Amino acid sequence: HGAVVQLRQERTVVQDAAVGQEELLALRETVIQELKALPELTIRCERAAQDAALAQGDVEGLVEDVSFMKARQELLGGEVVHLRENLQLVRQHLGDLRSET
């Protein structure tokens, strides 16, 4: 009876070792595949970093354009106010001239 139990235990240890060996081989293969993919992943990361830098430059250019347009809008807004005031003065002057005639 003791020999049967010992034999079963030995068989279980051997089976566990075989399963562990298979898991290690599978893990090793996964690591190998990931290492093979690293150069391509590195290239993709470098390209993405370059694209991000270009996009940042584009955004900075757009921010400058918006700032310029905003300043121009403020300037033109001031001109419009000035033109409206002049127009009001001309209308008033024309009204005065009509009244005199």
Side-chain angles (χ1 to χ4, degrees):
H1 184 305
V4 172
V5 170
Q6 184 177 355
L7 184 60
R8 285 184 185 160
Q9 288 174 344
E10 288 175 4
R11 206 178 286 157
T12 301
V13 168
V14 169
Q15 288 172 345
D16 288 348
V19 169
Q21 182 76 15
E22 288 176 18
E23 289 173 351
L24 282 174
L25 288 174
L27 182 60
R28 179 177 181 261
E29 188 60 32
T30 300
V31 169
I32 288 171
Q33 294 304 319
E34 289 178 0
L35 288 173
K36 286 180 182 178
L38 274 179
E40 184 177 337
L41 183 59
T42 301
I43 290 169
R44 285 185 189 173
C45 288
E46 289 171 354
R47 286 183 185 154
Q50 290 171 351
D51 290 347
L54 290 174
Q56 182 179 359
D58 291 345
V59 168
E60 289 170 357
L62 290 171
V63 168
E64 288 176 13
D65 290 348
V66 168
S67 296
F68 174 76
M69 292 171 72
K70 187 175 181 182
R72 184 142 173 88
Q73 179 186 17
E74 290 172 3
L75 178 66
L76 290 174
E79 287 294 318
V80 167
V81 168
H82 182 68
L83 289 172
R84 284 184 182 156
E85 291 170 354
N86 286 341
L87 181 60
Q88 185 63 30
L89 289 173
V90 168
R91 284 182 179 159
Q92 185 179 358
H93 185 65
L94 285 174
D96 292 345
L97 288 174
R98 286 186 188 142
S99 300
E100 292 176 4
T101 57

